[in-house]
């Protein structure tokens, strides 16, 4: 990898890219995505997952930001707690939807006050219906690329962006989708995290497209996002997050595991889901993926099982760059 990350911040908080580098020569690093909790029970579940993952030394953990700012206060509060009260490296998601530039600037300030230097910059989807018509806030931004520039101009922040192995659902074609991703990287993003996918070839083709369009930006890490399916019910959630139906071969495997009986064979579906995620992770590692990013829905068990299948365990933390 030839990409040179921006220098570490004055506060000494490493960037995501520096954290990935600290794992070089060891097993491919992993990272996890959390969601801000909705209530006390959700908060307790999140913290159980946080403490379990903490023992496994993920390269970073990210915290989503609800549509249109619906989780603003919780995202800022919990991400700040992760920064202050754990050994984890938190990445705060930030979305443009529903916010003026002044509000976005003040949110970035709130993140900085909480000790957060790594931000995943996103446009976000229209609240209510993610596939509905997109309307820019009258004093906001149109595309994530503009928000990358705003965050970078505000100070010493390390920025990541979203990428889409099958293209974003609003992009006219894969070439323009790739060009928009490269524009976000040129604007100052240091890496991207992909939308979840179930065909590794889609990830590999995205990587090839970016490298062909701009070899220098193509050297920045493209981090694949995975979600182990644990029940037929989570298939719907996975399809929402993929923005596409699951591949027929994956659905067929899960349905076969569920069986023909009146009751779904839940244990077999879960086992198949963990196997599918493990096989994808093995291929991604073989293909040189820089990190494996897991959607956890604030549960540690399924991701831990995939990691155990890959031979990951509780290991000493790598030295930070
Ligand atoms: C890893 C990951 C994490 C996410 N986390 C969250 C979250 O926490 N909260 C949340 O609400 N959503 C989240 N999302 C969803 C994301 O906000 C949506 O997918 C959104 O529709 C696209 O965001 P973006 O940042 O890629 O937008 P953009 O990069 O702005 O792209 C939006 C659309 O505009 C096109 N486009 C971009 N630039 C231009 C241009 N210059 N001219 C014309 N067209 C252009 C793009 O191809 C795309 O079709 C996440 C997505 C991913 C992959």
């Amino acid at each position: 990898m030839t990409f040179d990350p921006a220098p570490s911040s004055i506060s000494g908080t490493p960037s995501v890219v520096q954290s990935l580098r600290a794992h070089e020569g060891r097993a491919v690093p992993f990272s996890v995505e959390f969601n801000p909790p909705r209530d006390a029970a959700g908060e307790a579940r999140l913290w159980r997952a946080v403490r379990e993952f903490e023992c496994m030394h993920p390269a970073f953990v990210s915290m989503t930001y609800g549509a249109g700012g619906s989780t603003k206060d919780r995202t800022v509060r919990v991400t700040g707690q992760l920064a202050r009260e754990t050994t984890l490296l938190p990445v705060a998601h930030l979305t443009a939807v529903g916010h003026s530039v002044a509000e976005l600037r003040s949110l970035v300030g709130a993140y900085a006050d909480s000790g957060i230097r790594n931000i995943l910059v996103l446009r976000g989807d229209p609240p209510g219906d993610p596939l509905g018509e997109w309307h820019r806030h009258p004093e906001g931004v149109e595309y994530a690329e503009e928000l990358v520039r705003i965050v970078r101009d505000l100070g010493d922040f390390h920025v990541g962006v979203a990428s889409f192995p099958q293209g974003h659902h609003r992009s006219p074609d894969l070439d323009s989708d790739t060009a928009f991703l490269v524009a976000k990287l040129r604007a100052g993003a240091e890496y991207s995290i992909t939308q979840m996918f179930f065909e590794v070839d889609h990830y590999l083709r995205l990587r090839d497209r970016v490298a062909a369009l701009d070899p220098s930006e193509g050297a920045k890490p493209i981090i694949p996002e995975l979600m182990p399916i644990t029940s037929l019910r989570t298939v719907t959630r996975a399809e929402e997050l993929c923005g596409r139906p699951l591949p027929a071969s994956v659905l067929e495997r899960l349905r076969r595991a569920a069986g023909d009986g009146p009751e779904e064979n839940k244990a077999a579906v879960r086992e198949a889901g963990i196997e599918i995620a493990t096989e994808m992770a093995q291929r991604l590692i073989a293909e040189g993926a820089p990190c494996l990013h897991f959607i956890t829905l604030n549960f540690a068990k399924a991701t831990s099982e995939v990691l155990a299948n890959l031979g990951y365990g509780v290991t000493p933390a790598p030295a930070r760059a």
Side-chain angles (χ1 to χ4, degrees):
M1 200 178 281
T2 54
F3 167 61
D4 259 327
S8 103
S9 68
I10 317 155
S11 68
T13 306
S15 70
V16 163
V17 172
Q18 286 168 329
S19 181
L20 298 184
R21 283 220 166 144
H23 285 76
E24 266 173 18
R26 304 161 62 99
V28 171
F30 80 98
S31 52
V32 295
E33 179 187 283
F34 295 127
N35 307 113
R38 286 169 207 258
D39 51 29
E43 183 113 15
R45 193 175 91 207
L46 167 72
W47 282 97
R48 272 196 302 279
V50 165
R51 294 303 175 197
E52 280 185 50
F53 282 121
E54 202 173 14
C55 302
M56 301 176 74
H57 310 297
F60 65 92
V61 297
S62 75
M63 182 62 69
T64 62
Y65 188 87
S70 55
T71 66
K72 185 178 113 187
D73 295 340
R74 279 174 287 143
T75 298
V76 174
R77 174 177 64 78
V78 179
T79 320
Q81 274 178 283
L82 288 173
R84 287 188 307 276
E85 298 171 21
T86 76
T87 55
L88 299 165
L89 177 65
V91 174
H93 294 208
L94 174 69
T95 67
V97 60
H99 289 309
S100 66
V101 169
E103 286 165 350
L104 290 164
R105 286 205 173 104
S106 119
L107 253 163
V108 174
Y111 280 145
D113 289 346
S114 304
I116 294 153
R117 287 287 180 278
N118 286 281
I119 300 183
L120 190 72
V121 167
L122 304 142
R123 179 165 95 166
D125 285 316
D129 176 9
L131 301 178
E133 211 181 322
W134 159 261
H135 293 291
R136 181 172 85 89
H137 183 286
E139 287 148 29
V141 299
E142 180 71 35
Y143 298 115
E145 179 193 342
E146 296 158 66
L147 188 52
V148 171
R149 290 182 203 286
I150 289 171
V151 174
R152 290 299 305 260
D153 284 350
L154 279 171
D156 192 13
F157 294 102
H158 301 286
V159 170
V161 289
S163 53
F164 299 85
Q166 290 174 271
H168 183 262
H169 61 273
R170 290 178 208 274
S171 290
D173 52 50
L174 287 178
D175 285 345
S176 44
D177 190 80
T178 311
F180 300 140
L181 170 59
V182 166
K184 292 192 280 192
L185 296 169
R186 286 181 183 152
E190 297 171 14
Y191 64 95
S192 73
I193 303 180
T194 72
Q195 188 171 48
M196 191 190 16
F197 57 90
F198 281 88
E199 289 188 48
V200 172
D201 282 347
H202 290 309
Y203 167 81
L204 299 177
R205 280 186 223 131
L206 166 70
R207 209 169 62 172
D208 291 345
R209 284 195 301 277
V210 178
L213 185 62
D214 187 329
S216 156
E217 300 302 332
K220 292 181 177 176
I222 300 179
I223 300 173
E225 184 174 73
L226 302 169
M227 184 173 104
I229 300 273
T230 52
S231 69
L232 288 186
R233 216 160 43 87
T234 52
V235 167
T236 318
R237 182 77 186 119
E239 291 187 330
E240 275 167 22
L241 290 166
C242 280
R244 328 232 161 206
L246 258 56
S249 58
V250 172
L251 277 178
E252 171 53 27
R253 205 163 148 186
L254 293 167
R255 288 202 183 116
R256 216 170 342 140
D260 301 327
E263 297 238 333
E264 168 188 337
N265 184 340
K266 290 191 171 146
V269 172
R270 193 172 187 287
E271 197 178 319
I274 301 281
E275 259 171 35
I276 291 166
T278 303
E279 288 162 17
M280 288 180 66
Q282 283 165 334
R283 177 136 185 250
L284 287 162
I285 291 169
E287 293 285 355
C291 181
L292 304 169
H293 189 63
F294 290 92
I295 294 181
T296 67
L297 306 176
N298 297 354
F299 289 103
K301 196 159 184 286
T303 301
S304 307
E305 282 175 39
V306 175
L307 291 170
N309 289 345
L310 297 171
Y312 292 52
V314 179
T315 55
R320 285 213 158 141

